[in-house]
Amino acid sequence: MALDAWVLELLRCPVSGEPLEPVTVDGAEFLTTPSGIRYPVLDGVPVLLADAALHPGEPA
């Protein structure tokens, strides 16, 4: 993922307010919270919308 570390420090989950970390799941990039909420990264841009959130157990 091409996001700089300082950008990741600023980003927060719009649902829980938790910090976000980059992960790759089955070849797809996501930002995820410690509690497991994931947000897709499309063309290098994080989609940080509550409606786009994938909660633990939901398929990508």
Side-chain angles (χ1 to χ4, degrees):
M1 182 173 308
L3 293 175
D4 291 334
W6 69 269
V7 174
L8 283 173
E9 289 178 18
L10 297 175
L11 295 178
R12 294 288 180 260
C13 172
V15 174
S16 67
E18 295 176 296
L20 296 163
E21 291 290 329
V23 296
T24 301
V25 178
D26 296 330
E29 292 182 341
F30 293 91
L31 291 179
T32 189
T33 65
S35 62
I37 299 172
R38 292 177 290 158
Y39 294 92
V41 178
L42 304 174
D43 295 325
V45 179
V47 182
L48 298 179
L49 301 171
D51 291 343
L54 297 170
H55 295 271
E58 287 185 64

